[in-house]
């Protein structure tokens, strides 16, 4: 596809970017002690090898010590960062990929009780809701120091051989100066727009003095805060023009919105169920009016939308960031005419939500992302072809089947239901989580291409399995909802899956007792709330929905903050009794021995999942390894060689929720790392 607009080069000053696809800045929280070491490099090189035009490394690399990372960012204020970045840049350059880095000072978007325990600093004392620090209002000597810090960091990036830098100005220190909502300084850095922008231009001037006129410098900024009293679109346009006219900036990377709250952040970086490419037109309008190199990315998950963004001339470079976490080989697949094989980003936002909880960014359904030094994205062929039987066609089972087939094995999947998907299919019943089914559909398509045989409506019995003469059996049968807790009348309650699947209609006055804090509870709650029923969501935890991370919670809250819904944390369902035509729920707590009552007509419980592994235990006596997994070998990536039963004719493993209740990523990682060594 020689004329594909996405594959046309883009000339940015002296730099020819070989195509229009980029990863915008994103910190996957892989640094070691603030340095982009082997994994960091391998992550970017994997995408460079596959042909991405530009990778904006880091995300919020810290320029100063009083900008302590909130999610394990690169410490650009340390000199030792230079050789690490040079290695990364050189390695990506070998594949023709341009490399830049995003630099920032987080301002109030951090905490004071981290790293060196320095006060957070901003252009006001106003606290940011998400990170909770009440910042110090910058003094003159702070501002002088911060300008120097930016310039020092830029000089380090220049020394590391990067193609350029991008300054972050949405929700961070730079635009905390810009916005009237977060700047209470007096002149010369507060008051008029000129004054509020002064810090930025002082920084740019200082940077240019260090790196010269050629080095590429851009700004990623909000062009409209979408907050009453904040920067509006007119000011955003004005700022865009001033950045261009300064002559110190080479590209604009347009964002719309504000990120000081979870809902604000989620509107800037939309998750599944939210519209695709919501800010593309806005970015396009800035490009049209300012006529300057413009980058943009926000929920552009599919190549068609990315192509449209470029072909229509809305922007010059288009970001597909999470899409590249889900599939690092997008560009290669476009070039090879294999677009339909791209592993889709389903917007689950597991990646981003995890970093805000202190974890590394992992993709919900690509377990090799973020593990490039140990897990391959391209599955190698096995030396010897084996017959592999997988029981269960949920995400874990299908991943095992896909990987085994890629390795060249002969693979059969037995599925008890008439369709694949397991709990993912159930979850995808919610309109908002519909995109989840792509986790299954992509694997089904891959399995079909690779010749995997899937037998539906096939309840596996041990004898049937043995008659298949497998070399390896992988039990991926998942789990089912825990239905009973001692003392709670099992026959009087329904569970969240009953509501989700539509088997049980919501009542009129409903108590939903959520002991697991996971998605099914809130998905069921959404269904119940929508009927107008009076709904109380109760949990013994100190916060509700403890397993649902920040940005994933946003759409639920938008659906559930209505007059008929209440949340009651820290209380526990003790028992349920019949009371005429209704139910009497007795309530206690873990803190006190209470006997509160609720009169309702339906109690929905969400106790979590228990493994469904009968077939595993039936097969265990016949397996050579007795089901044992050598964890050491699993971790270091060696084949499983345990023998517990000399007469056993096959190896037996179980993965995912069939072992213990976990999540989709865990099931897929179980499958990948086991199967990759079969
Ligand atoms: C794990 C992760 C970390 C991110 N960190 C940053 C960051 O530090 N700075 C930034 O400007 N954007 C950051 N982003 C936002 C991305 O640059 C991008 O705007 C966002 O993911 C939306 O684009 P997409 O839909 O193509 O993923 C991050 C995104 C992810 C997934
Ligand atoms: S976790 Fe979800 S949003 Fe993040 S890359 Fe994977 S599929 Fe996309």
């Amino acid at each position: 596809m020689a004329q594909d607009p996405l594959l046309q080069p883009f000339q940015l000053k002296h730099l020819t970017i070989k195509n229009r696809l980029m990863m915008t800045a994103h910190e996957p929280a892989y640094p070691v002690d603030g340095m982009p070491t082997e994994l960091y490099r391998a992550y970017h090189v994997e995408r460079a090898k596959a042909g991405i035009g530009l990778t904006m490394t880091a995300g919020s690399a810290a320029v100063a010590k009083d900008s302590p990372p909130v999610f394990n960012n690169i410490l650009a204020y340390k000199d030792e960062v230079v050789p690490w970045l040079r290695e990364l840049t050189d390695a990506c350059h070998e594949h023709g990929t341009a490399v830049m880095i995003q630099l920032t000072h987080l301002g109030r978007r951090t905490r004071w009780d981290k790293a060196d325990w320095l006060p957070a600093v901003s252009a006001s004392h106003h606290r940011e809701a998400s990170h909770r620090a009440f910042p110090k209002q910058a003094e003159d000597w702070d501002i002088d120091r911060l300008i120097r810090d930016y310039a020092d960091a830029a000089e380090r990036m220049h020394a590391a051989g990067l193609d350029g830098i991008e300054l972050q100005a949405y929700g961070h220190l730079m635009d905390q100066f810009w916005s009237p909502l977060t700047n209470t300084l007096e002149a010369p850095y507060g008051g008029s727009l000129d004054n509020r922008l002064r810090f930025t231009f002082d920084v740019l001037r200082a940077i240019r003095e260090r790196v010269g006129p050629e080095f590429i410098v851009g700004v990623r900024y909000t062009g409209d805060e979408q907050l009453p009293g904040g920067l509006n679109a007119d000011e955003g346009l004005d700022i865009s023009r001033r950045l261009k006219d300064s002559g110190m900036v080479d590209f604009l990377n347009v964002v719309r919105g504000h990120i000081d709250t979870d809902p604000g952040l989620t509107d800037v970086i939309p998750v599944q169920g939210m519209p695709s490419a919501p800010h593309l037109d806005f970015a396009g309008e800035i490009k049209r009016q300012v006529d300057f190199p413009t980058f943009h990315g926000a929920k552009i998950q599919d190549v068609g939308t990315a192509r449209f963004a470029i072909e229509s001339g809305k922007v010059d470079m288009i970001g597909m960031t999470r899409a590249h976490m889900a599939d690092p080989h997008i560009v290669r697949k476009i070039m090879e005419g294999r677009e339909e094989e791209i592993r889709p980003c389903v917007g689950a936002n597991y990646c981003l939500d995890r970093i805000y909880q202190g974890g590394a960014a992992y993709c919900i359904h690509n377990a090799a992302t973020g593990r490039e030094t140990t897990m391959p994205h391209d599955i190698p062929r096995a030396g010897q072809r084996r017959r592999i039987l997988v029981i269960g066609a949920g995400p874990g089972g299908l991943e095992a089947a896909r990987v085994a087939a890629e390795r060249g094995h002969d693979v059969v999947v037995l599925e008890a239901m008439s369709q694949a998907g397991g709990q993912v299919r159930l979850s995808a019943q919610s309109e908002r989580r519909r995109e989840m089914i792509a986790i299954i559909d992509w694997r089904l398509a891959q399995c079909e291409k690779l010749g995997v045989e899937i037998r539906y409506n096939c309840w596996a019995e041990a004898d049937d399995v043995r008659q298949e003469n497998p070399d390896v059996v992988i039990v991926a049968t998942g789990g089912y909802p825990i239905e009973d807790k001692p003392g709670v009348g099992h026959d009087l309650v329904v569970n969240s899956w009953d509501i989700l699947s539509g088997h049980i209609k919501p009542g009129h006055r409903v108590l939903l007792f959520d002991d697991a804090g996971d998605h099914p509870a809130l998905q069921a709650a959404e269904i119940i709330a929508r009927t107008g029923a009076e709904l109380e969501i109760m949990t013994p935890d100190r916060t509700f929905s403890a397993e649902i991370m920040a940005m994933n919670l946003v759409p639920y809250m938008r659906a559930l903050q209505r007059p008929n819904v209440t949340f009651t944390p820290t209380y526990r369902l003790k028992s349920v009794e019949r009371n005429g035509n209704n139910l009497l729920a007795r309530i206690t707590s873990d803190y006190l021995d209470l006997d509160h009552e609720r009169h309702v007509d339906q109690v929905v419980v969400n106790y979590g999942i228990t493994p469904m592994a009968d077939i595993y235990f039936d097969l265990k006596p016949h397996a050579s390894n007795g089901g044992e997994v050598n964890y050491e070998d699993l971790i270091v990536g060696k084949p499983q060689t345990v023998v517990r039963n000399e007469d056993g004719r096959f190896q037996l493993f179980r993965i995912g929720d069939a072992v213990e209740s976990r999540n989709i990523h865990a099931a897929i990682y179980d499958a990948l790392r086991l199967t990759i060594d079969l």
Side-chain angles (χ1 to χ4, degrees):
M1 212 194 268
Q3 291 310 310
D4 188 339
L6 282 177
L7 301 182
Q8 303 314 304
F10 179 61
Q11 195 64 36
L12 183 62
K13 281 169 103 170
H14 54 275
L15 178 70
T16 307
I17 304 175
K18 66 180 174 181
N19 60 52
R20 304 305 182 98
L21 280 163
M22 70 180 289
M23 286 198 292
T24 52
H26 62 295
E27 179 46 74
Y30 304 151
V32 178
D33 297 331
M35 295 298 123
T37 58
E38 289 81 3
L39 173 62
Y40 214 102
R41 183 167 66 242
Y43 170 81
H44 282 282
V45 168
E46 185 75 38
R47 279 109 190 130
K49 261 193 312 199
I52 193 159
L54 166 65
T55 188
M56 185 69 70
T57 60
S60 318
V63 298
K65 282 193 171 173
D66 59 350
S67 175
V70 281
F71 42 76
N72 186 14
N73 304 71
I74 292 177
L75 304 180
Y77 60 79
K78 293 195 169 181
D79 289 340
E80 64 192 269
V81 79
V82 173
W84 286 115
L85 280 172
R86 179 167 283 287
E87 268 191 72
L88 186 157
T89 305
D90 288 350
C92 290
H93 279 170
E94 272 180 33
H95 302 285
T97 295
V99 185
M100 301 192 194
I101 190 168
Q102 182 183 72
L103 298 178
T104 202
H105 191 296
L106 292 160
R108 64 178 191 152
R109 192 174 169 76
T110 185
R111 296 186 61 87
W112 47 266
D113 55 354
K114 289 178 149 272
D116 296 303
W117 282 62
L118 295 172
V121 65
S122 186
S124 77
H125 289 297
H126 299 328
R127 195 184 79 158
E128 194 221 51
S130 287
H131 294 82
R132 310 185 63 81
F134 290 92
K136 170 193 179 184
Q137 180 171 284
E139 298 176 62
D140 49 1
W141 57 267
D142 283 313
I143 293 176
D144 293 346
R145 172 180 59 82
L146 292 164
I147 293 168
R148 256 192 334 268
D149 286 339
Y150 269 100
D152 289 346
E155 195 174 346
R156 287 184 197 101
M157 304 306 124
H158 187 236
L162 284 128
D163 294 296
I165 59 171
E166 166 183 274
L167 304 178
Q168 209 279 18
Y170 64 105
H172 291 194
L173 181 66
M174 198 157 263
D175 63 303
Q176 287 161 25
F177 274 86
W178 295 3
S179 171
L181 294 175
T182 48
N183 185 337
T184 51
L185 291 165
E186 299 191 336
Y189 289 99
S192 65
L193 184 61
D194 275 340
N195 284 351
R196 285 180 276 128
L197 289 175
R198 189 177 310 282
F199 176 68
T200 298
F201 289 117
D202 284 356
V203 166
L204 283 166
R205 223 169 283 115
I207 288 177
R208 281 292 173 208
E209 276 169 20
R210 301 286 189 85
V211 300
E214 288 310 311
F215 192 55
I216 290 171
V217 178
V219 182
R220 189 174 205 202
Y221 67 104
T222 179
D224 178 0
E225 277 192 293
Q226 298 190 305
L227 275 175
L231 286 174
N232 59 30
D234 289 341
E235 279 169 312
L237 192 58
D238 193 358
I239 292 172
S240 312
R241 290 202 175 100
R242 290 174 190 229
L243 289 170
K244 172 186 174 185
D245 294 343
S246 75
M248 295 186 283
V249 170
D250 302 309
F251 68 86
L252 305 176
N253 187 348
V254 178
V255 165
R256 179 168 60 168
H258 60 101
I259 61 170
D260 53 333
T261 59
D262 292 343
L265 179 64
T266 309
D267 288 336
V268 169
I269 305 178
V271 300
Q272 60 187 202
M274 296 172 77
S276 165
H279 309 306
L280 177 61
D281 287 343
F282 176 77
E285 192 51 24
I286 289 193
K287 177 175 159 58
R288 196 182 66 78
Q289 298 219 29
V290 181
D291 189 20
F292 202 55
T294 303
F295 302 176
H296 174 69
K299 203 172 189 244
I300 287 137
Q301 287 160 295
D302 63 289
V303 172
T305 307
R307 189 171 283 128
F308 165 76
I310 298 297
E311 193 166 28
S312 60
K314 286 185 188 290
V315 293
D316 299 299
M317 292 292 300
I318 192 74
M320 289 187 77
T321 304
R322 286 170 295 178
H324 271 88
M325 299 190 83
D327 191 332
H329 302 156
I330 291 177
V331 177
R332 181 192 298 161
K333 288 178 182 171
I334 297 174
M335 289 167 78
E336 292 174 358
R338 297 192 291 130
E339 258 170 62
E340 75 292 346
E341 287 184 35
I342 292 172
R343 184 187 316 220
C345 170
V346 299
N349 221 49
Y350 188 61
C351 48
L352 191 51
D353 265 340
R354 271 182 58 88
I355 64 170
Y356 281 104
Q357 295 209 344
Y362 292 133
C363 172
I364 196 167
H365 80 125
N366 186 344
T369 284
R371 299 194 179 93
E372 278 77 6
T373 49
T374 51
M375 290 289 123
H377 284 280
D378 286 320
I379 308 294
R381 300 287 285 185
Q384 187 193 354
R385 186 176 163 92
R386 304 170 83 189
R387 183 161 171 78
I388 307 225
L389 193 86
V390 180
I391 308 176
L398 289 179
E399 175 72 350
R402 174 189 83 86
V403 177
E406 290 269 17
R407 291 193 44 73
H409 297 307
D410 171 19
V411 186
V412 176
V413 181
L414 309 182
E415 167 55 47
M417 309 293 283
S418 58
Q419 285 178 302
Q423 289 174 59
V424 173
R425 185 165 294 280
L426 188 68
S427 198
Q429 303 248 334
S430 297
E431 180 60 21
R432 237 179 10 75
R433 305 203 82 209
R434 212 181 48 212
E435 290 172 54
M436 295 294 277
I437 204 65
I439 294 174
I440 300 304
D441 289 346
W442 179 77
R443 287 182 168 74
L444 286 175
Q446 292 296 300
C447 283
E448 191 181 334
K449 188 191 85 174
L450 294 162
V452 173
E453 181 190 346
I454 304 183
R455 297 185 204 149
Y456 293 103
N457 301 307
C458 180
W459 182 266
E461 300 284 359
D463 284 345
D464 309 333
V465 170
R466 289 164 64 202
Q467 273 166 27
E468 293 285 334
N469 283 325
D471 298 306
V472 180
V473 178
I474 298 174
V475 175
T477 39
Y480 56 86
I482 299 168
E483 296 205 307
D484 203 9
K485 284 276 165 106
V488 182
H490 166 50
D491 48 335
L492 297 179
V493 303
V494 300
N495 67 55
S496 50
W497 284 26
D498 295 328
I499 300 287
L500 248 177
S501 61
H503 288 142
I504 302 280
K505 295 237 166 323
H508 299 290
R509 271 176 303 133
V510 183
L511 174 67
L512 192 160
F513 179 64
D514 181 13
D515 206 6
D518 53 9
H519 282 278
L522 289 195
Q523 285 183 273
E526 244 186 276
I527 294 170
I528 298 164
R530 223 178 297 124
T531 65
E534 256 178 62
L535 170 65
E536 180 176 4
I537 303 167
M538 181 179 285
T539 171
D541 298 329
R542 64 191 150 87
T543 58
F544 57 90
S545 303
E547 300 297 326
I548 301 182
M549 296 185 277
M551 292 169 73
N552 263 279
L553 189 66
V554 169
Y556 285 119
M557 294 317 292
R558 285 182 168 156
L560 290 171
Q561 283 193 332
R562 31 163 96 203
N564 57 325
V565 181
T566 52
F567 287 89
T568 313
T570 73
Y571 288 87
R572 182 178 286 285
L573 177 66
K574 187 159 63 175
S575 64
V576 182
E577 299 158 25
R578 197 169 290 291
N579 183 17
N581 285 336
N582 286 318
L583 299 172
L584 170 62
R586 294 195 182 278
I587 309 298
T588 184
S589 98
D590 297 343
Y591 302 85
L592 292 168
D593 190 11
L594 302 172
D595 193 15
H596 294 182
E597 294 182 353
R598 297 288 193 276
H599 295 270
V600 292
D601 61 14
Q602 188 176 58
V603 175
V604 180
V605 293
N606 186 60
Y607 290 139
I609 306 295
T610 193
M612 183 161 57
D614 291 353
I615 183 71
Y616 167 82
F617 289 102
D618 291 347
L619 289 169
K620 232 175 109 115
H622 308 286
S624 58
N625 63 333
E628 182 174 338
V629 181
N630 179 325
Y631 285 163
E632 294 305 319
D633 288 345
L634 183 76
I635 291 166
V636 299
K638 286 193 192 155
Q640 294 291 317
T641 53
V642 176
V643 177
R644 293 175 68 91
N645 170 10
E646 297 288 349
D647 298 330
R649 303 216 339 250
F650 54 87
Q651 286 182 297
L652 174 69
F653 303 104
R654 62 175 167 151
I655 59 172
D657 279 6
V659 182
E660 63 163 348
S661 172
R662 285 170 290 165
N663 65 15
I664 297 169
H665 180 84
I668 285 176
Y669 186 30
D670 272 4
L672 175 65
R673 67 170 159 176
L674 175 76
T675 317
I676 203 76
D677 294 312
L678 290 180

